[in-house]
Short mmCIF file of all heavy atoms in Angstrom, two decimals:
data_model
loop_
_atom_site.label_atom_id
_atom_site.label_comp_id
_atom_site.label_asym_id
_atom_site.label_seq_id
_atom_site.Cartn_x
_atom_site.Cartn_y
_atom_site.Cartn_z
N ALA A 734 68.23 108.38 105.32
CA ALA A 734 67.62 107.05 105.38
C ALA A 734 67.62 106.56 106.82
O ALA A 734 68.46 106.96 107.63
CB ALA A 734 68.40 106.06 104.51
N ASN A 735 66.64 105.73 107.15
CA ASN A 735 66.70 105.00 108.41
C ASN A 735 65.85 103.76 108.28
O ASN A 735 64.96 103.68 107.43
CB ASN A 735 66.26 105.87 109.60
CG ASN A 735 64.79 106.22 109.54
OD1 ASN A 735 63.92 105.35 109.69
ND2 ASN A 735 64.49 107.49 109.30
N TRP A 736 66.17 102.76 109.06
CA TRP A 736 65.31 101.60 109.16
C TRP A 736 65.40 101.04 110.57
O TRP A 736 66.38 101.29 111.29
CB TRP A 736 65.62 100.54 108.10
CG TRP A 736 66.96 99.86 108.19
CD1 TRP A 736 68.10 100.19 107.55
CD2 TRP A 736 67.27 98.68 108.97
NE1 TRP A 736 69.12 99.35 107.88
CE2 TRP A 736 68.63 98.40 108.74
CE3 TRP A 736 66.55 97.86 109.84
CZ2 TRP A 736 69.29 97.31 109.34
CZ3 TRP A 736 67.20 96.78 110.44
CH2 TRP A 736 68.56 96.51 110.18
N GLY A 737 64.36 100.33 110.97
CA GLY A 737 64.35 99.76 112.32
C GLY A 737 63.06 98.98 112.53
O GLY A 737 62.28 98.80 111.59
N TYR A 738 62.87 98.52 113.74
CA TYR A 738 61.72 97.69 114.04
C TYR A 738 60.65 98.50 114.74
O TYR A 738 60.94 99.22 115.70
CB TYR A 738 62.14 96.49 114.92
CG TYR A 738 63.05 95.55 114.17
CD1 TYR A 738 64.42 95.76 114.11
CD2 TYR A 738 62.52 94.45 113.47
CE1 TYR A 738 65.25 94.91 113.40
CE2 TYR A 738 63.35 93.60 112.76
CZ TYR A 738 64.70 93.83 112.72
OH TYR A 738 65.51 92.99 112.00
N GLY A 739 59.40 98.42 114.27
CA GLY A 739 58.28 99.06 114.93
C GLY A 739 57.89 98.29 116.18
O GLY A 739 58.43 97.22 116.47
N SER A 740 56.88 98.82 116.92
CA SER A 740 56.47 98.16 118.17
C SER A 740 55.88 96.78 117.91
O SER A 740 55.88 95.93 118.79
CB SER A 740 55.46 99.05 118.91
OG SER A 740 54.41 99.38 118.00
N ASN A 741 55.45 96.52 116.67
CA ASN A 741 54.94 95.18 116.33
C ASN A 741 56.05 94.22 115.92
O ASN A 741 55.81 93.12 115.46
CB ASN A 741 53.90 95.30 115.19
CG ASN A 741 54.51 95.94 113.94
OD1 ASN A 741 55.67 96.34 113.93
ND2 ASN A 741 53.70 96.05 112.89
N GLY A 742 57.32 94.69 116.02
CA GLY A 742 58.44 93.81 115.67
C GLY A 742 58.70 93.73 114.18
O GLY A 742 59.52 92.92 113.74
N LYS A 743 57.97 94.55 113.38
CA LYS A 743 58.16 94.51 111.92
C LYS A 743 59.03 95.68 111.48
O LYS A 743 59.00 96.75 112.10
CB LYS A 743 56.80 94.63 111.22
CG LYS A 743 55.78 93.61 111.70
CD LYS A 743 55.77 92.41 110.81
CE LYS A 743 54.62 91.48 111.20
NZ LYS A 743 54.65 90.24 110.47
N ILE A 744 59.73 95.47 110.38
CA ILE A 744 60.67 96.49 109.89
C ILE A 744 59.94 97.64 109.19
O ILE A 744 58.98 97.42 108.44
CB ILE A 744 61.70 95.83 108.93
CG1 ILE A 744 62.69 94.98 109.76
CG2 ILE A 744 62.46 96.88 108.11
CD1 ILE A 744 63.76 94.28 108.97
N ILE A 745 60.40 98.86 109.48
CA ILE A 745 59.94 100.07 108.78
C ILE A 745 61.18 100.72 108.17
O ILE A 745 62.21 100.84 108.84
CB ILE A 745 59.29 101.07 109.76
CG1 ILE A 745 58.13 100.41 110.50
CG2 ILE A 745 58.85 102.34 109.03
CD1 ILE A 745 57.62 101.22 111.68
N MET A 746 61.08 101.12 106.89
CA MET A 746 62.23 101.76 106.22
C MET A 746 61.79 103.12 105.69
O MET A 746 60.78 103.22 105.00
CB MET A 746 62.71 100.91 105.03
CG MET A 746 63.11 99.50 105.40
SD MET A 746 63.41 98.47 103.94
CE MET A 746 65.04 99.05 103.44
N ASP A 747 62.59 104.17 105.99
CA ASP A 747 62.31 105.52 105.50
C ASP A 747 63.44 105.97 104.60
O ASP A 747 64.60 105.80 104.94
CB ASP A 747 62.25 106.51 106.67
CG ASP A 747 60.96 106.39 107.45
OD1 ASP A 747 59.92 106.15 106.82
OD2 ASP A 747 61.03 106.52 108.69
N ILE A 748 63.06 106.61 103.51
CA ILE A 748 64.08 107.11 102.61
C ILE A 748 63.67 108.47 102.07
O ILE A 748 62.49 108.72 101.81
CB ILE A 748 64.33 106.12 101.44
CG1 ILE A 748 65.45 106.59 100.52
CG2 ILE A 748 63.08 105.87 100.62
CD1 ILE A 748 66.82 106.40 101.06
N LYS A 749 64.64 109.37 101.95
CA LYS A 749 64.41 110.66 101.31
C LYS A 749 65.47 110.77 100.21
O LYS A 749 66.66 110.95 100.50
CB LYS A 749 64.56 111.78 102.34
CG LYS A 749 64.12 113.11 101.84
CD LYS A 749 64.13 114.12 103.00
CE LYS A 749 64.08 115.52 102.45
NZ LYS A 749 64.32 116.52 103.49
N ALA A 750 65.00 110.62 98.97
CA ALA A 750 65.93 110.65 97.83
C ALA A 750 65.94 112.06 97.26
O ALA A 750 64.88 112.58 96.91
CB ALA A 750 65.48 109.66 96.77
N PRO A 751 67.10 112.72 97.19
CA PRO A 751 67.11 114.09 96.68
C PRO A 751 66.71 114.15 95.21
O PRO A 751 66.78 113.14 94.49
CB PRO A 751 68.56 114.54 96.87
CG PRO A 751 69.35 113.30 97.04
CD PRO A 751 68.43 112.24 97.55
N GLN A 752 66.27 115.33 94.78
CA GLN A 752 65.86 115.50 93.39
C GLN A 752 66.97 115.08 92.44
O GLN A 752 68.14 115.36 92.69
CB GLN A 752 65.54 116.97 93.16
CG GLN A 752 64.25 117.12 92.40
CD GLN A 752 63.83 118.57 92.31
OE1 GLN A 752 64.66 119.46 92.23
NE2 GLN A 752 62.53 118.78 92.33
N GLY A 753 66.59 114.39 91.40
CA GLY A 753 67.59 113.93 90.43
C GLY A 753 68.08 112.53 90.74
O GLY A 753 68.96 112.02 90.06
N THR A 754 67.53 111.91 91.79
CA THR A 754 67.93 110.54 92.12
C THR A 754 66.69 109.65 92.22
O THR A 754 65.58 110.13 92.45
CB THR A 754 68.67 110.46 93.48
OG1 THR A 754 67.75 110.76 94.53
CG2 THR A 754 69.83 111.42 93.53
N LYS A 755 66.94 108.35 92.03
CA LYS A 755 65.90 107.34 92.19
C LYS A 755 66.42 106.30 93.16
O LYS A 755 67.59 105.90 93.05
CB LYS A 755 65.65 106.62 90.85
CG LYS A 755 64.55 107.22 90.02
CD LYS A 755 64.17 106.25 88.92
CE LYS A 755 64.74 106.72 87.60
NZ LYS A 755 64.46 105.85 86.48
N ALA A 756 65.58 105.89 94.08
CA ALA A 756 66.02 104.89 95.06
C ALA A 756 65.31 103.57 94.81
O ALA A 756 64.10 103.54 94.62
CB ALA A 756 65.70 105.38 96.47
N THR A 757 66.08 102.50 94.80
CA THR A 757 65.47 101.16 94.76
C THR A 757 65.57 100.56 96.16
O THR A 757 66.66 100.30 96.66
CB THR A 757 66.19 100.27 93.74
OG1 THR A 757 66.04 100.89 92.46
CG2 THR A 757 65.58 98.88 93.70
N ILE A 758 64.40 100.41 96.77
CA ILE A 758 64.38 99.85 98.13
C ILE A 758 64.32 98.33 98.01
O ILE A 758 63.45 97.79 97.32
CB ILE A 758 63.14 100.34 98.91
CG1 ILE A 758 63.03 101.88 98.82
CG2 ILE A 758 63.21 99.89 100.36
CD1 ILE A 758 61.74 102.43 99.44
N VAL A 759 65.28 97.67 98.65
CA VAL A 759 65.29 96.21 98.65
C VAL A 759 65.03 95.76 100.09
O VAL A 759 65.93 95.86 100.94
CB VAL A 759 66.65 95.66 98.16
CG1 VAL A 759 66.59 94.13 98.05
CG2 VAL A 759 67.04 96.28 96.82
N PRO A 760 63.82 95.33 100.39
CA PRO A 760 63.51 94.99 101.78
C PRO A 760 64.42 93.84 102.26
O PRO A 760 64.57 92.85 101.55
CB PRO A 760 62.05 94.53 101.74
CG PRO A 760 61.51 95.05 100.44
CD PRO A 760 62.67 95.12 99.50
N PRO A 761 65.00 93.99 103.43
CA PRO A 761 65.93 92.96 103.92
C PRO A 761 65.19 91.81 104.62
O PRO A 761 65.65 91.32 105.65
CB PRO A 761 66.81 93.75 104.90
CG PRO A 761 65.91 94.82 105.43
CD PRO A 761 64.95 95.17 104.33
N PHE A 762 64.04 91.45 104.09
CA PHE A 762 63.27 90.34 104.68
C PHE A 762 62.48 89.71 103.54
O PHE A 762 62.20 90.38 102.53
CB PHE A 762 62.33 90.86 105.79
CG PHE A 762 61.46 91.99 105.37
CD1 PHE A 762 60.24 91.76 104.70
CD2 PHE A 762 61.84 93.32 105.60
CE1 PHE A 762 59.45 92.83 104.28
CE2 PHE A 762 61.04 94.37 105.19
CZ PHE A 762 59.86 94.13 104.53
N PRO A 763 62.16 88.43 103.65
CA PRO A 763 61.51 87.77 102.52
C PRO A 763 60.01 88.01 102.45
O PRO A 763 59.38 87.75 101.42
CB PRO A 763 61.79 86.28 102.79
CG PRO A 763 62.00 86.19 104.27
CD PRO A 763 62.50 87.52 104.74
N GLY A 764 59.39 88.57 103.49
CA GLY A 764 57.94 88.61 103.57
C GLY A 764 57.30 89.77 102.81
O GLY A 764 57.92 90.41 101.97
N LYS A 765 56.04 90.03 103.15
CA LYS A 765 55.25 91.02 102.43
C LYS A 765 55.53 92.44 102.93
O LYS A 765 55.84 92.64 104.10
CB LYS A 765 53.76 90.72 102.60
CG LYS A 765 53.36 89.46 101.88
CD LYS A 765 51.85 89.28 101.93
CE LYS A 765 51.46 88.06 101.11
NZ LYS A 765 50.26 87.42 101.65
N TRP A 766 55.33 93.41 102.04
CA TRP A 766 55.54 94.82 102.40
C TRP A 766 54.54 95.70 101.69
O TRP A 766 53.93 95.30 100.68
CB TRP A 766 56.97 95.27 102.08
CG TRP A 766 57.44 94.94 100.67
CD1 TRP A 766 58.19 93.88 100.31
CD2 TRP A 766 57.16 95.66 99.46
NE1 TRP A 766 58.42 93.88 98.95
CE2 TRP A 766 57.81 94.96 98.39
CE3 TRP A 766 56.43 96.82 99.15
CZ2 TRP A 766 57.74 95.39 97.06
CZ3 TRP A 766 56.37 97.25 97.83
CH2 TRP A 766 57.02 96.52 96.80
N THR A 767 54.35 96.91 102.23
CA THR A 767 53.62 97.94 101.49
C THR A 767 54.47 99.20 101.48
O THR A 767 55.26 99.44 102.41
CB THR A 767 52.27 98.31 102.16
OG1 THR A 767 52.54 98.87 103.45
CG2 THR A 767 51.35 97.13 102.29
N CYS A 768 54.30 99.96 100.40
CA CYS A 768 55.11 101.18 100.26
C CYS A 768 54.38 102.15 99.36
O CYS A 768 54.16 101.86 98.18
CB CYS A 768 56.47 100.81 99.67
SG CYS A 768 57.53 102.24 99.38
N GLN A 769 53.95 103.28 99.89
CA GLN A 769 53.31 104.34 99.11
C GLN A 769 52.17 103.77 98.24
O GLN A 769 52.11 104.03 97.06
CB GLN A 769 54.32 105.03 98.17
CG GLN A 769 55.63 105.43 98.82
CD GLN A 769 55.46 106.49 99.89
OE1 GLN A 769 55.51 106.16 101.08
NE2 GLN A 769 55.23 107.71 99.51
N GLY A 770 51.34 102.93 98.84
CA GLY A 770 50.21 102.39 98.11
C GLY A 770 50.54 101.18 97.26
O GLY A 770 49.66 100.56 96.69
N ARG A 771 51.82 100.84 97.16
CA ARG A 771 52.16 99.61 96.43
C ARG A 771 52.41 98.51 97.46
O ARG A 771 52.68 98.78 98.63
CB ARG A 771 53.43 99.82 95.61
CG ARG A 771 53.17 100.68 94.38
CD ARG A 771 54.42 100.85 93.53
NE ARG A 771 55.13 102.07 93.88
CZ ARG A 771 56.30 102.42 93.36
NH1 ARG A 771 56.92 101.63 92.49
NH2 ARG A 771 56.88 103.55 93.72
N SER A 772 52.35 97.26 96.99
CA SER A 772 52.67 96.17 97.92
C SER A 772 53.36 95.05 97.16
O SER A 772 53.32 95.01 95.93
CB SER A 772 51.41 95.66 98.61
OG SER A 772 50.51 95.20 97.63
N GLY A 773 54.02 94.19 97.88
CA GLY A 773 54.73 93.10 97.24
C GLY A 773 55.31 92.16 98.26
O GLY A 773 55.09 92.30 99.47
N GLN A 774 56.03 91.18 97.75
CA GLN A 774 56.73 90.25 98.63
C GLN A 774 58.10 90.01 98.02
O GLN A 774 58.21 89.66 96.84
CB GLN A 774 55.97 88.93 98.75
CG GLN A 774 56.75 87.90 99.55
CD GLN A 774 55.87 86.79 100.10
OE1 GLN A 774 54.73 86.63 99.68
NE2 GLN A 774 56.40 86.04 101.02
N GLY A 775 59.18 90.19 98.83
CA GLY A 775 60.54 90.12 98.29
C GLY A 775 60.70 91.19 97.23
O GLY A 775 60.04 92.23 97.24
N GLY A 776 61.59 90.94 96.26
CA GLY A 776 61.77 91.87 95.16
C GLY A 776 62.23 93.23 95.63
O GLY A 776 62.98 93.34 96.60
N ASN A 777 61.75 94.26 94.93
CA ASN A 777 62.18 95.60 95.30
C ASN A 777 61.18 96.62 94.78
O ASN A 777 60.30 96.28 94.00
CB ASN A 777 63.60 95.87 94.77
CG ASN A 777 63.68 95.74 93.26
OD1 ASN A 777 62.94 96.41 92.53
ND2 ASN A 777 64.57 94.87 92.78
N VAL A 778 61.34 97.88 95.20
CA VAL A 778 60.44 98.93 94.73
C VAL A 778 61.26 100.19 94.51
O VAL A 778 62.09 100.54 95.35
CB VAL A 778 59.25 99.15 95.71
CG1 VAL A 778 59.75 99.39 97.12
CG2 VAL A 778 58.38 100.31 95.26
N THR A 779 61.05 100.80 93.35
CA THR A 779 61.83 101.99 93.02
C THR A 779 60.98 103.24 93.22
O THR A 779 59.82 103.27 92.80
CB THR A 779 62.36 101.90 91.58
OG1 THR A 779 63.25 100.80 91.52
CG2 THR A 779 63.12 103.16 91.18
N ILE A 780 61.53 104.23 93.90
CA ILE A 780 60.77 105.44 94.24
C ILE A 780 61.60 106.69 93.93
O ILE A 780 62.81 106.62 93.73
CB ILE A 780 60.36 105.46 95.74
CG1 ILE A 780 61.61 105.47 96.64
CG2 ILE A 780 59.52 104.25 96.10
CD1 ILE A 780 62.00 106.79 97.15
#
Side-chain angles (χ1 to χ4, degrees):
N735 67 69
W736 66 265
Y738 294 85
S740 52
N741 59 358
K743 307 265 187 186
I744 287 180
I745 303 168
M746 302 171 77
D747 285 323
I748 183 76
K749 189 172 164 190
Q752 225 173 33
T754 68
K755 267 194 256 179
T757 299
I758 309 173
V759 185
F762 52 84
K765 291 187 176 150
W766 49 262
T767 63
C768 177
Q769 312 296 103
R771 286 182 266 175
S772 60
Q774 175 160 14
N777 59 56
V778 53
T779 296
I780 62 98

